[in-house]
């Protein structure tokens, strides 16, 4: 773990009403929330995407630092797991261990990616925690993403994390509960749809994600959540339109809108079942005016505050 980011920003005055996140982070011994960075785009490289996501954790932190604190918040920054010399498997294992430690200390974990290979590390950490502490509990995965990320490959990559998760669960004779929201038909091959169907995945097309359809979609999501005990929620920023998320590995031609995402994300949060949450595929190298990093920080802000 590397601790190099300096939390700093505006100071508007004395008193709680003026506080920003940089003023409250790392100030309490036991934090309700813990941030972990995951500096890697090795999985994107293996998946033949455009590189730059390794720089995301600190870019997102910089946008989080100045956001206001609207209610009591205890949050810690535990540093960043770095993928060294292309050893993605080692980095994912290290992330998993850090996530497990976080959960064992009672902190909800927020992971800042990095390529979407972050997902297998985040999931594995939750899996390890559940195996040790609540082995009878069922894990559900909700992925906001244009892509299934169920790719068959010889090595783990940003395209394989949920198939990797399915295989891990199968080793322990456990069911794979996976809901992918925002799937773009033009961004997934037929074999990926066949894999999703074979694994009994649930998915909602990007074209269905309209404000007029919110009640029906929320019902689908709640039906999925009811069947599981704890949730791992991951947001791949390429699920959004390139106009608000230009800095990603694979920018979306269509993408979903925040007016739809926000209420769905709120509904999932309201379940009280989220244990691990991450944002993935922020790529500062291709960002414009920090739009994508700001979007990631905005989503995390909405996760932290009611």
């Amino acid at each position: 773990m590397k601790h190099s980011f300096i939390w700093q920003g505006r100071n508007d005055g004395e008193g709680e009403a003026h506080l920003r996140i940089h003023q409250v982070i790392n100030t309490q011994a036991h934090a309700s929330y813990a941030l972990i960075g995951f500096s890697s785009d090795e999985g994107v490289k293996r998946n033949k995407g455009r590189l730059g996501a390794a720089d995301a954790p600190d870019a997102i932190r910089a946008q989080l630092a100045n956001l206001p604190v609207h209610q009591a918040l205890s949050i810690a920054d535990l540093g960043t797991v770095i993928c060294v010399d292309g050893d993605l498997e080692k980095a994912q294992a290290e992330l998993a261990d850090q996530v497990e430690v976080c959960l064992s200390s009672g902190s909800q974990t927020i992971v800042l990616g990095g390529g979407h290979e972050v997902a297998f590390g985040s999931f594995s950490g939750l899996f390890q925690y559940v195996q040790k502490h609540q082995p009878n509990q069922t894990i559900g995965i909700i992925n906001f993403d244009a892509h299934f990320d169920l790719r068959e490959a010889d090595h783990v990559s940003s395209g394989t994390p949920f198939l990797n998760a399915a295989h891990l669960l199968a080793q322990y004779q456990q069911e794979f509960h996976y809901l992918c929201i925002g799937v773009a038909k033009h961004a997934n091959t037929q074999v990926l749809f066949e894999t999703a169907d074979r694994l009994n995945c649930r998915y909602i097309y990007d074209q269905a994600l309209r404000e007029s359809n919110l009640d029906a979609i929320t019902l689908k999501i709640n039906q999925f959540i009811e069947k599981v005990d704890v949730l791992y929620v991951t947001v791949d920023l390429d699920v959004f339109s390139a106009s608000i998320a230009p800095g990603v590995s694979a920018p979306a031609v269509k993408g979903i809108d925040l007016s739809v995402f926000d209420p769905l994300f709120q509904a999932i949060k309201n379940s009280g079942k989220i244990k691990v949450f991450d944002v993935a595929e922020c790529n500062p190298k291709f960002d414009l005016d920090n739009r994508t990093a700001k979007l990631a920080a905005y989503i995390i802000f909405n996760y932290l505050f009611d």
Side-chain angles (χ1 to χ4, degrees):
M1 293 287 280
K2 187 178 179 186
H3 297 261
S4 59
F5 186 79
I6 298 168
W7 286 90
Q8 57 190 7
R10 281 184 59 140
N11 188 337
D12 291 334
E14 300 301 315
E16 291 186 3
H18 293 288
L19 288 175
R20 296 173 185 271
I21 287 177
H22 73 88
Q23 293 168 292
V24 300
I25 201 158
N26 297 329
T27 58
Q28 296 184 36
H30 298 288
S32 300
Y33 296 93
L35 295 178
I36 303 173
F38 186 70
S39 176
S40 168
D41 50 18
E42 174 63 24
V44 176
K45 182 180 178 183
R46 295 180 187 183
N47 203 34
K48 300 178 173 59
R50 56 185 194 170
L51 303 185
D55 296 327
D58 284 356
I60 297 170
R61 286 182 174 106
Q63 298 304 322
L64 269 175
N66 265 328
L67 295 184
V69 174
H70 285 283
Q71 61 207 57
L73 176 69
S74 62
I75 184 168
D77 181 5
L78 303 185
T80 298
V81 173
I82 297 174
C83 180
V84 180
D85 295 331
D87 194 346
L88 176 55
E89 291 78 1
K90 184 180 178 183
Q92 287 175 322
E94 186 184 341
L95 175 60
D97 290 344
Q98 291 293 333
V99 168
E100 186 196 334
V101 167
C102 256
L103 293 172
S104 297
S105 71
S107 300
Q108 286 187 50
T109 311
I110 302 170
V111 184
L112 313 174
H116 216 177
E117 62 265 31
V118 67
F120 186 55
S122 294
F123 172 81
S124 298
L126 177 56
F127 180 78
Q128 288 170 196
Y129 171 79
V130 169
Q131 283 296 111
K132 273 189 189 174
H133 300 279
Q134 298 152 325
N136 296 321
Q137 288 203 331
T138 307
I139 301 172
I141 301 168
I142 297 180
N143 176 29
F144 285 91
D145 200 336
H147 310 92
F148 281 118
D149 290 346
L150 290 166
R151 193 182 296 277
E152 293 268 7
D154 294 333
H155 302 284
V156 296
S157 77
S158 61
T160 67
F162 304 109
L163 190 62
N164 301 146
H167 289 161
L168 178 59
L169 287 163
Q171 286 172 28
Y172 289 80
Q173 289 79 50
Q174 292 185 28
E175 216 174 322
F176 181 50
H177 297 275
Y178 176 50
L179 170 62
C180 191
I181 303 172
V183 170
K185 205 165 188 179
H186 65 273
N188 296 271
T189 59
Q190 185 60 37
V191 74
L192 289 167
F193 280 95
E194 289 168 4
T195 302
D197 292 339
R198 176 170 52 81
L199 293 169
N200 295 316
C201 302
R202 301 282 173 264
Y203 50 93
I204 300 169
Y205 286 111
D206 56 352
Q207 305 213 344
L209 294 167
R210 302 183 303 273
E211 286 185 72
S212 59
N213 209 15
L214 272 174
D215 288 347
I217 296 166
T218 305
L219 180 64
K220 274 188 184 179
I221 291 170
N222 286 336
Q223 286 171 341
F224 174 83
I225 292 173
E226 280 168 19
K227 294 177 181 174
V228 301
D229 299 303
V230 294
L231 287 172
Y232 160 48
V233 177
T234 177
V235 178
D236 185 325
L237 295 165
D238 72 19
V239 77
F240 297 102
S241 161
S243 61
I244 60 168
V248 293
S249 174
V253 173
K254 185 178 186 298
I256 70 172
D257 198 82
L258 281 173
S259 61
V260 174
F261 172 83
D262 284 345
L264 297 181
F265 187 63
Q266 189 64 43
I268 297 165
K269 184 180 137 181
N270 289 346
S271 73
K273 292 183 178 182
I274 303 177
K275 286 283 194 185
V276 179
F277 164 60
D278 67 34
V279 288
E281 296 286 354
C282 178
N283 187 329
K285 185 178 175 184
F286 294 96
D287 213 355
L288 300 171
D289 303 323
N290 298 312
R291 276 182 222 168
T292 316
K294 283 177 178 171
L295 174 60
Y298 165 81
I299 294 167
I300 294 166
F301 175 87
N302 287 338
Y303 181 61
L304 292 171
F305 300 107
D306 293 328

